[in-house]
Amino acid sequence: MITIVLADDEKMIRAGLKKILQENIAMPLEIIEAKNGEEALNLCKEKEPEILITDIRMPVMDGVELMKRLSESKELPVKPAIIVLSGYDDFTYAKAAIQSGALSYILKPVDKKELIGAVNSAIMDCLQAEKNSNEQQFRKIMEKGRIDDVSTLPKITVKNGLRCIVIYGNNPLLALESVMADRKYYVLEQTKKSVLIVYPFEGKEVSYDPALLEKFVVGISGPADDYSMLRTMRKQAVTAAMQAFFDVEGGAVNSLLKGGLYFYESQNHMTDFQQIDELYEKIMSKCDISSAEEIQKGIKNLFTSFEKDSKLNAEILYYLYRKVVSNLFSRYAGYTDSDMYLHIKSIMIENIFEFKNIYEWQSSITDYVVYLAALLKQNSKESPYISEAIDFVKTHFKKNINMAMVANQVSVNYTWFSEKFKEHTGVNFNEYLKRLRIDEAKSLLEKGCYKVYEVSERSGFSDVKYFMKIFREETGMSPTEWSNKHQFISKSRSE
């Protein structure tokens, strides 16, 4: 519904204009009449109309003063689009109207086509402005994963919840227009080869041309009735699209990426990615000392996480994709940003749907890590004290050591050492030390023969409460839960 305030001191003119608009504007309209500028101003503040059509010469308050008051009003954060009517072909009035932000200036007697054209143009501008505002709010909610201010929520009537759709392929906007037709939708993310939208789901599935699905991969999230679920819906839509890499029936890896329509299935949900985390960290923690063959083998093992027949494979791929994109490129950001090969390779890897199959994507990741390892080794040769420092830390991490002590051990300036250490390892000294200690704690807990305070001491944490806090932050479990889980796994395997 578009609200229009129609201000003119002549009743017959108002009636005639109202009749023209009601008979010729396709959208539902609420037209409110005002006989002078003051009345129109109060109606604008009360009703917050999208459009104001006002005469210039009116009693009590003329159109020029009305427009000035509206532009200065703090009670109207969103100003209406203004269409000015005047019986006077006077440049002074036209200039005042333009200065006040009028969209159109129409001379009386009003030309019917000119009025309809001006109103339609104003409606289109209003709808686009509303769409842009809603998209901006949606993006903020998706990025933060929460709603900070209820008053800024998009003003959308949702009967049956919201859904997300992601489309991958050449010129996805054309596909989107074909798919959504006259439905309302809001673009959340857009690249040259992909587009992600959210739309009000009105209980009717979107229809797709089969020929379209041969060229595009389309992933659809489950429904949600809460705006704060946008980030989850995005994940669901992308996870659904990743089914294109697998056989829909059994879940086996496809030899070729297949276009088509893929729905997120809530029953196929996985929460434990511990194996992937461990395999990934094993590769990256030794990246600076591993050979190309060892890296290739490690990444190959990582990709064996996909089961031959599993409907969870798309969920596993999404997690692995996020792991690579959020950690690998930022872990050694200095190299990725400065080295052209790594920079281009990172962009390629991020565009996973550009690959013909998973194994091509795997090969690209392998190339990235092998090349990165070569750079790290070269850097190590140029700064041999870093290798010496890392060896010292790996030997003494269970003791009470700090960066100043290690920098002194290798006889290097503290500040210089800090910069070079992070450049070489991808993390700062304290983070590197913490990871070594957490890995040691995991190994000790998995043996099942140590108490928590003993694990804390043996892995280099002097404060057991701090150890328990850091361990949960890193693993999502308490030390006891981690130990019990691995004892259960070991028992199950032996049986």
Side-chain angles (χ1 to χ4, degrees), residues 1 3 19 29 56 74 79 108 153 191 226 230 263 271 278 304 372 398-399 429 458:
M1 176 78 72
T3 301
K19 187 172 186 295
L29 301 177
I56 281 287
K74 294 181 180 179
K79 314 299 181 188
K108 292 181 177 180
L153 285 178
T191 68
D226 187 343
L230 279 172
F263 288 88
T271 56
E278 290 179 353
T304 58
L372 172 64
K398 298 175 187 178
K399 299 178 181 179
F429 179 87
R458 286 172 176 267

Side-chain angles (χ1 to χ4, degrees), residues 270-295:
M270 184 173 179
T271 56
D272 185 4
F273 298 98
Q274 177 193 330
Q275 182 186 12
I276 291 176
D277 288 336
E278 290 179 353
L279 289 171
Y280 175 86
E281 198 56 41
K282 188 176 180 180
I283 298 165
M284 297 312 300
S285 63
K286 297 180 180 179
C287 180
D288 57 333
I289 58 174
S290 297
S291 66
E293 290 75 19
E294 288 171 329
I295 291 171

Side-chain angles (χ1 to χ4, degrees), residues 59-297:
V60 185
M61 182 189 296
D62 65 20
V64 174
E65 181 63 21
L66 168 61
M67 288 185 286
K68 181 182 176 185
R69 297 279 289 276
L70 281 173
S71 66
E72 295 172 349
S73 175
K74 294 181 180 179
E75 299 173 52
L76 273 173
V78 180
K79 314 299 181 188
I82 301 173
I83 297 171
V84 174
L85 309 177
S86 176
Y88 302 87
D89 188 4
D90 190 317
F91 177 73
T92 303
Y93 288 122
K95 183 179 179 182
I98 292 168
Q99 287 176 338
S100 298
L103 182 69
S104 300
Y105 185 90
I106 302 175
L107 290 175
K108 292 181 177 180
V110 173
D111 179 84
K112 178 180 173 180
K113 289 184 178 179
E114 188 177 2
L115 176 64
I116 294 168
V119 171
N120 276 328
S121 177
I123 289 173
M124 293 300 293
D125 287 348
C126 292
L127 294 177
Q128 188 59 49
E130 180 188 17
K131 187 173 188 290
N132 291 343
S133 175
N134 286 337
E135 286 179 346
Q136 188 176 11
Q137 294 304 322
F138 276 136
R139 287 167 187 157
K140 285 181 180 178
I141 294 169
M142 186 175 70
E143 288 168 7
K144 293 184 177 181
R146 65 179 187 277
I147 299 171
D148 290 331
D149 186 358
V150 178
S151 66
T152 63
L153 285 178
K155 296 176 182 178
I156 302 171
T157 302
V158 179
K159 296 178 182 178
N160 298 295
L162 300 165
R163 269 195 176 174
C164 274
I165 293 179
V166 64
I167 301 176
Y168 295 97
N170 290 320
N171 206 344
L173 286 179
L174 283 179
L176 179 63
E177 291 169 6
S178 170
V179 166
M180 298 308 292
D182 57 350
R183 284 181 182 239
K184 274 190 175 181
Y185 65 87
Y186 303 90
V187 177
L188 302 181
E189 292 178 351
Q190 181 183 341
T191 68
K192 189 177 180 181
K193 295 291 184 74
S194 69
V195 60
L196 172 76
I197 67 163
V198 62
Y199 70 99
F201 180 63
E202 303 301 344
K204 182 181 178 183
E205 296 291 353
V206 175
S207 59
Y208 298 86
D209 180 352
L212 179 77
L213 297 178
E214 292 179 7
K215 300 178 181 178
F216 293 91
V217 174
V218 182
I220 302 181
S221 75
D225 56 7
D226 187 343
Y227 292 117
S228 66
M229 293 290 288
L230 279 172
R231 181 182 287 183
T232 299
M233 283 193 290
R234 179 196 182 281
K235 174 188 172 183
Q236 290 178 354
V238 177
T239 301
M242 286 184 171
Q243 293 177 49
F245 287 101
F246 305 94
D247 175 65
V248 177
E249 295 299 322
V253 178
N254 285 333
S255 57
L256 283 175
L257 175 72
K258 290 185 178 180
L261 180 63
Y262 301 92
F263 288 88
Y264 180 78
E265 298 176 5
S266 57
Q267 66 270 25
N268 297 333
H269 187 55
M270 184 173 179
T271 56
D272 185 4
F273 298 98
Q274 177 193 330
Q275 182 186 12
I276 291 176
D277 288 336
E278 290 179 353
L279 289 171
Y280 175 86
E281 198 56 41
K282 188 176 180 180
I283 298 165
M284 297 312 300
S285 63
K286 297 180 180 179
C287 180
D288 57 333
I289 58 174
S290 297
S291 66
E293 290 75 19
E294 288 171 329
I295 291 171
Q296 289 167 357
K297 184 179 178 181

